[in-house]
Amino acid sequence: MFYNYLVIAWRNLIRHKLYSLINLGGLAVGLTVCMLILIYVAHEHSFDQFHAQANQTFAVHEQLKMGGGESVQFPTMSYYTGPAVQQSTPAVTGYMRTHQPHKSVIIQNPAVANATFTESNFLFADADFFRFFTFELKQGNPATVLREPLAVVISQKMATKYFGTSNPVGKTLRIKTDSTFTYQVTGVAAPAPSNSSITFDFVASVASLKVMPATAELVKSTQLRGGDFRTYFRLKQAADTTQLQNTMRRLVQEDSFAQVQKFVFTALPDLHLKANFGDFTNSKYIKIFPLVAGLILLLALINYMSLTTARSTIRAKEIGVRQVFGANRKIIMAQFYVESTLFAVLAFSLAYGACYLLTPWFLNKLQLQIDTAFLYSPTLLLLLLGLLVFTILVAGSYPAFVLSGYQPVATLKGKMGKQIGAVRVRQVFTTAQFSISVGLMICGLVIDRQLYYFRHTETGINRENVVMIPITEMFGNHYQQFKREIAALPGVAQVATARYPMYKGYDMWVAKGKNSTEDILLPVLSVDKNFVPTLGIQWKVPPVSQDVLNQPQKIVVNELALAKLGLPANPVGSLVNMPGGDGFEVAGVVNNFVFGSLVHETQPLGLVLAPDTANAWGAVGGCLFARINPRTNLPTVLERMAKTYQQFDQTTPFTYTFLDDAFNAQYQAEDRLASIFGVFTGLTVLLACLGLFGLTTFTITQRTKEIGIRKVLGATTLSIVTLVSKNFLQLILVSIVVAAPVAWWFMQQWLQDFAHRITISWWIFGLAGGAALIIAFLTISFQAIKAALDNPVEALRNE
């Protein structure tokens, strides 16, 4: 019997090629999108679960409450924290400390000329790093590779980069963090899995920090709080975090640290999505993408069910004959489930092939890398199998229940009337399809407008033609000379210096507010006196003299800082007190300008002025800003800058970033969302049009004689097109009315994540609705015009 059903299903698929193509194509598109998003979501939720005892391993950070109720989180602890806590509670069975240099690391193979590179994926770690975490070592003993000072384990990729095909173990690398030392390579590690929140190309022994003058102080602290080490604890039981919290609070009190604080523990598998301290933003997609995937699959399933039930009049007599010969409802349902299974399996196969081809593009859009091993892991394959089973069950459910419920007498006499094909249900399906499409179109337009606002809103800085060049401590006392030579290059209008590149960070200082006992957190940028004019920042209260800006202990504040620090409207000459210091004198006030992302509120800010002759820039590093004149040949200027740079620092590669590029880079997550959302919206419109095209074709087929009679009686092409289109376009109008408020609500919620945001304008709804009506009319009119132009004699002659 099953074979018989399968043969009938295959014959129906071959006989009705157009409907089969629409059904298969729609299901395949929906399943392809679901597969892609399923891969992404499953990968994001699988992070760090490959580690042994992952659920018993917790990362710790401290949360401090400052004056005014401000809460600040620090993801790093002191070197002393790990061993002190383990000795104080039996709940902790082990700990791990990692330290990442704040600046890029320069690495050289002394045996190879010109083999010097700047690396960023560098860690210092405790000796049992490769036993605490489940990272594979290709060469070396996990128990000893990081035991000695100046030992380093490198990844396979770095082994090839620095040593080619030779065995790197036992060889040396010259590594410059704050100081340059010769390290011995003691092991080679396999690449960290793509679903690891801990990544590395180099892992050096934490004992190395003790022999470096610049980092020796990091390992001498005997206080629990503060420090520069990511710290992980392994507990006997996952529920022991309360005991761990109490132990750490007790140890802090013994250190006489008076600020209110708590420690936050995040299980290793939750670290990727729940404890982000950097610029990671892909977690924004975790809720959005599954919803969109579900909607697209729903559209595809609606297409299938709608067309299957619509064509039920063709098979009504077949069902009636089967019922007369003894087939009960279960047998009829089984038949249609077999047909649905055939369609779903074929569509799934097409979708899997499309997913295989599109995965590199999709991951590139998300700027992600997923290991091949994960793509074929049992977990992912089971999820894909579940998707197939779900599709079979849902796609076959409605047709099976509806078609198996027909009365045999009515079907054989052809008296099924308009209830055949569930006309009302198909109308609901069509409305739902276009409601989803219009809703996503509205959402896409709002996202696009928000991104346009980010790009073009006034930020208080002139970002055009400003180059930022990172400066290392290799410049030493020669930085001022380098700065003068850059300023003298043809095409360079102004130069300035700051501690950090714009939009790449700032310092956080503790200042005294109106109440001398109240500590206020104040973001601070350390700059020279040329910073304000070079970036085009406007003065609110200018300094009494430009010479004042070149004196020590001077600070310029923005307007927001006046209220926060309790300063008068004209604060020039006032002091901003810092704990343990003499304070800084306010030299002027600048207008508020955006020095971070527009996602967040603009903050109070202090610009601490370093004298123009200070040698500190070359000693600790910083960033040179150079404004280039308009209509200047940029490649020529950049080439001259590179040559000048290499005269002062021959070990660090010359790099630069344009200020407007750095600003735009803050919105990469939103850019990727807009790009992929546009593709998803296009697919929903395509699926809705496929369904509408199929229903229009079927409707015209059912009304062929009616259209022929109308033409014989003098009906025009326009009247026939109107006749066919009217009911469908009414459904599209209903879908616009349904979609608009829902999309408005969702976008209002999405916009709440942005401190600087647009107001949703009425024209967005009009544009999306108008586009939906035009697309639907074109889809319908193609078949309607064709039917109106056909010879009516042929239509009337057809039985």
Side-chain angles (χ1 to χ4, degrees), residues 107 136 157 175 221 232 307 365 383 399 413-414 478 492 500 544 588 617 689 694 697:
I107 300 180
E136 181 185 359
K157 178 182 176 181
I175 299 177
S221 172
Y232 305 84
L307 286 177
K365 281 289 184 182
L383 289 172
K413 287 185 176 182
H478 302 294
V492 176
Y500 303 106
V544 294
W617 301 120
C689 289
T697 303

Side-chain angles (χ1 to χ4, degrees), residues 158-325:
M158 293 299 109
T160 302
K161 180 176 179 178
Y162 285 91
F163 300 100
T165 58
S166 61
N167 183 5
V169 175
K171 297 182 179 178
T172 60
L173 289 172
R174 289 188 59 78
I175 299 177
K176 180 181 181 298
T177 50
D178 289 315
S179 307
T180 302
F181 287 87
T182 299
Y183 288 70
Q184 184 177 35
V185 178
T186 54
V188 177
S194 60
N195 55 353
S196 173
S197 60
I198 302 170
T199 60
F200 56 86
D201 285 322
F202 301 85
V203 183
S205 60
V206 79
S208 306
L209 298 175
K210 298 179 181 180
V211 302
M212 302 179 190
T215 57
E217 292 299 320
L218 289 176
V219 300
K220 291 181 179 179
S221 172
T222 57
Q223 284 192 334
L224 193 75
R225 54 157 304 278
D228 211 17
F229 292 85
R230 292 298 300 263
T231 303
Y232 305 84
F233 290 110
R234 177 150 302 148
L235 307 182
K236 286 183 178 179
Q237 303 290 334
D240 287 342
T241 52
T242 301
Q243 185 176 344
L244 181 59
Q245 175 80 249
N246 294 335
T247 299
M248 294 188 69
R249 290 184 67 85
R250 174 173 56 80
L251 292 173
V252 165
Q253 290 173 355
E254 292 175 0
D255 285 339
S256 302
F257 183 61
Q259 286 177 298
V260 178
Q261 69 174 326
K262 72 173 182 177
F263 296 97
V264 180
F265 306 99
T266 307
L268 199 55
D270 297 330
L271 195 61
H272 177 64
L273 294 177
K274 295 184 179 179
N276 299 311
F277 295 94
D279 296 326
F280 177 80
T281 48
N282 281 328
S283 57
K284 291 183 179 181
Y285 309 139
I286 290 295
K287 295 181 180 179
I288 296 176
F289 281 2
L291 175 62
V292 174
L295 292 175
I296 291 176
L297 182 59
L298 177 62
L299 284 176
L301 292 171
I302 285 175
N303 273 354
Y304 178 84
M305 293 186 289
S306 182
L307 286 177
T308 301
T309 54
R311 295 183 59 250
S312 59
T313 52
I314 300 173
R315 306 188 63 182
K317 284 186 170 56
E318 173 198 337
I319 297 169
V321 170
R322 286 182 176 275
Q323 290 173 325
V324 168
F325 278 92

